[in-house]
Amino acid sequence: MSKSNNPDENERMTFWEHIEVFRHILFRCLAIWGICSIAAFCFKNEIFQIIFAPSKNDFILYRLLCRLAEATNISSLCPGDFQANFINTQLTSQFMTHLSVSMCVGVIIAMPYLIYKLYGFVSPALYQHERKYSFVLIFSSFVLFGMGILLNYFVIFPFSFRFLSTYQVQDFVVNQIALSSYTSTLLVLSLLLGIVFEIPILAYFLAKLGVINHQLMRNYRRHAFVVICILAAIITPTADIFTLLLVACPIALLYEFSIRVVKKAK
């Protein structure tokens, strides 16, 4: 922390004193995470109602599609009724699923506090203009990550689940979905979409390092779109082009937005 605006104050702190401060911050962050996880654990019914909402016929996306089908007279847009059957095959699976989901929800709830404390630890080592930009970057990355999670929950995962849960190689092969499979797929897809939505932040840092520039990104726009389609095909396990475009289009827009971010970064 040699680059502080208050060098005399920082010089009075040794390396081990900084480690001690960080230890206290880390302990507080873990404590807040634990409290939020316990609170999430206590609201089991409410949380799992949200988690299982995409598996039900009355989910908001399915209702909107049915209304669109009525307005356009295109009946194929409406998903129709379907039934998803969930099973549990291991003795501890339901409890462990409840515990892991509570911990994930706890991280999401505690994230603003965690970012605030970690930023408070690092900020004394930054100049005034660096503090301004770092705060904007942290806030932007948090918002983009949340947008990726919301896109997955309301659009990508429902389509993926609908397709995979009703897909059959033969009529006599009945789909009975394991609880852990459902929750892990939802969490993993949410994490992937959240990471993918960090493209503008990654582009900003690469531009600052001199690795890329806006002209380079414009020249390789077509190549990037092909890569985006491949990435969207990997993220979405469904075979229809509609779901692929639902993922590819937002990522393509993020790429275009990243070009402007990179241009301003220079």
Side-chain angles (χ1 to χ4, degrees), residues 45-246:
N45 292 334
E46 291 78 6
I47 289 175
F48 277 92
Q49 282 180 1
I50 295 174
I51 289 176
F52 283 111
S55 67
K56 299 178 180 179
N57 287 323
D58 60 350
F59 188 60
I60 183 171
L61 175 66
Y62 305 141
R63 288 190 278 113
L64 289 175
L65 287 175
C66 288
R67 290 180 181 178
L68 182 62
E70 293 178 359
T72 58
N73 293 323
I74 305 176
S75 59
S76 59
L77 290 176
C78 185
D81 295 336
F82 72 100
Q83 180 66 37
N85 298 315
F86 295 95
I87 61 171
N88 178 56
T89 58
Q90 298 179 350
L91 181 62
T92 61
S93 181
Q94 292 205 49
F95 176 77
M96 294 305 297
T97 299
H98 183 194
L99 184 62
S100 61
V101 168
S102 299
M103 294 176 67
C104 291
V105 174
V107 170
I108 296 174
I109 297 174
M111 188 61 69
Y113 177 82
L114 302 181
I115 294 176
Y116 170 75
K117 296 302 292 183
L118 292 176
Y119 176 76
F121 176 75
V122 176
S123 61
L126 304 175
Y127 292 116
Q128 189 64 33
H129 69 281
E130 291 177 329
R131 292 185 185 183
K132 177 182 177 181
Y133 287 122
S134 61
F135 177 79
V136 172
L137 284 174
I138 292 173
F139 179 77
S140 300
S141 62
F142 184 74
V143 171
L144 289 171
F145 190 84
M147 290 173 61
I149 292 177
L150 291 176
L151 176 66
N152 176 65
Y153 178 78
F154 285 104
V155 180
I156 307 305
F157 180 74
F159 276 113
S160 301
F161 176 79
R162 166 78 185 199
F163 172 79
L164 295 175
S165 64
T166 57
Y167 185 84
Q168 293 176 283
V169 292
Q170 292 291 329
D171 293 338
F172 59 84
V173 182
V174 180
N175 287 329
Q176 292 184 320
I177 304 163
L179 172 65
S180 58
S181 176
Y182 178 88
T183 55
S184 63
T185 302
L186 174 60
L187 294 176
V188 168
L189 282 178
S190 297
L191 178 62
L192 288 175
L193 263 296
I195 293 174
V196 167
F197 266 61
E198 299 295 332
I199 290 176
I201 306 299
L202 177 61
Y204 175 84
F205 282 111
L206 291 177
K208 282 295 185 181
L209 294 173
V211 178
I212 61 175
N213 55 62
H214 70 282
Q215 192 60 45
L216 178 68
M217 294 184 68
R218 285 179 178 175
N219 293 338
Y220 284 90
R221 180 183 279 118
R222 295 181 180 179
H223 302 80
F225 185 74
V226 174
V227 174
I228 288 171
C229 290
I230 295 174
L231 181 63
I234 295 173
I235 293 175
T236 56
T238 60
D240 60 288
I241 189 67
F242 181 69
T243 307
L244 186 144
L245 289 176
L246 285 175

Side-chain angles (χ1 to χ4, degrees), residues 32-43:
I32 294 297
W33 176 31
I35 292 172
C36 292
S37 298
I38 293 172
F41 190 88
C42 295
F43 287 91

